[in-house]
Amino acid sequence: CEVLALAGAMYVSTHRLVPAMVFVRLLVLPLMVVSVRLIWASKLAFGYLRARAMPPAAQLQRLGTMNSRHCWSCSAATFTCLACVLMVWYGVLILLILSYDGGAKEAATVYFLLGTFGAGLIANWAFWRDFIQHFEEIEEPEDAQLLFRICQLYRSKAIRLVPYRALDGGSSKVDDETAFPPAQTCPICLDDFRPSELLAKLPCGHEFHSSCANRWFCEDWRCPFRCALDAEAADACVAPSPDEESGAAAGGDARPGL
């Protein structure tokens, strides 16, 4: 609405006010700022709705900087700064239009511009006031950092999402000499795989429900069958804790609860 109002103000200024170009040039800045803010807000909203419509397994491959809490916090702060700039600019425009000395033919145009600039000032003030009263910087929880590391595994293709029907017809190969038939149940939760269900396939060839694999990697960066991930996957994951290392040295590796 603000973009349309500013575009209409530029149009009537060009045809009704003298000198027209002075007002048009003054309206270029707020129009550009509002347009950039609209495009950025639309991109954030589109990314949120797109991620929300995806299944959790696909979200892990799509999550990026645009979906982080830090990006949304910075965007809110940037929008508020732009609102402050627009408030000042609208105030200047209101003072200029009030001092405009025009005839009766231009009175309607002056009132229209006053209404447009006043509405823009009030809208941006309301946005600024809402930000000041309700914004609270929240640090990323520790689980979010862990989730990001797991996402890196999917994005680097160390873990691949494959439909179960693609596995059902053949065998999963570990290398040229080793092959085994695909499992029909998830070794972690022991539930059967459903047709067309996306499975998380590890570099060793074992398949699991993606949600089960994600929960497992929150506790242990290795495959549930103790197969080692490749070097890149190991670097991207969480290193084992000192307690786990001491347990492994003693021959008593602890598995997370299923």
Side-chain angles (χ1 to χ4, degrees):
C1 295
E2 195 172 358
V3 173
L4 295 177
L6 288 173
M10 292 183 68
Y11 176 81
V12 297
S13 299
T14 304
H15 293 83
R16 300 294 179 85
L17 299 183
V18 180
M21 294 308 300
V22 174
F23 291 95
V24 171
R25 290 170 182 171
L26 290 173
L27 289 170
V28 169
L29 175 63
L31 182 61
M32 291 178 60
V33 170
V34 172
S35 299
V36 170
R37 189 172 62 179
L38 176 63
I39 293 173
W40 185 252
S42 301
K43 187 174 182 180
L44 289 175
F46 176 76
Y48 168 75
L49 294 175
R50 183 182 180 187
R52 185 176 180 181
M54 293 179 181
Q59 288 178 0
L60 289 171
Q61 289 185 319
R62 299 287 184 175
L63 288 179
T65 305
M66 289 289 295
N67 304 103
S68 65
R69 188 190 302 270
H70 179 71
C71 177
W72 280 77
S73 298
C74 290
S75 298
T78 302
F79 290 163
T80 305
C81 292
L82 295 178
C84 294
V85 172
L86 289 172
M87 280 193 293
V88 174
W89 203 257
Y90 283 136
V92 172
L93 290 173
I94 289 175
L95 293 177
L96 289 177
I97 203 67
L98 286 175
S99 62
Y100 180 78
D101 186 13
K105 295 182 178 180
E106 300 171 337
T109 301
V110 171
Y111 291 144
F112 172 77
L113 293 178
L114 280 175
T116 300
F117 301 152
L121 191 150
I122 294 174
N124 285 279
W125 173 81
F127 185 91
W128 169 81
R129 183 172 179 271
D130 181 75
F131 178 84
I132 294 299
Q133 291 184 344
H134 299 100
F135 180 78
E136 181 180 355
E137 183 66 33
I138 302 176
E139 296 183 359
E140 292 278 5
E142 184 178 351
D143 292 345
Q145 298 296 331
L146 184 58
L147 177 62
F148 177 76
R149 292 170 181 172
I150 295 176
C151 288
Q152 292 297 103
L153 288 175
Y154 286 89
R155 298 178 68 179
S156 64
K157 303 300 183 181
I159 300 177
R160 295 185 296 114
L161 290 175
V162 292
Y164 178 65
R165 61 186 177 189
L167 300 171
D168 198 19
S171 61
S172 302
K173 295 184 178 180
V174 179
D175 50 41
D176 294 337
E177 299 179 355
T178 307
F180 51 87
Q184 297 182 355
T185 59
C186 176
I188 297 177
C189 67
L190 302 181
D191 287 342
D192 292 338
F193 293 134
R194 297 190 302 270
S196 302
E197 186 175 22
L198 287 177
L199 307 182
K201 184 174 182 180
L202 306 189
C204 57
H206 294 118
E207 301 95 18
F208 310 89
H209 288 127
S210 58
S211 57
C212 295
N214 298 338
R215 287 193 296 269
W216 182 276
F217 288 128
C218 288
E219 303 290 340
D220 192 346
W221 62 270
R222 292 167 297 182
C223 168
F225 291 101
R226 293 300 184 260
C227 304
L229 300 177
D230 55 35
E232 293 183 0
D235 292 340
C237 288
V238 182
S241 64
D243 294 338
E244 292 177 346
E245 291 180 350
S246 60
D253 253 353
R255 290 187 58 170
L258 297 180

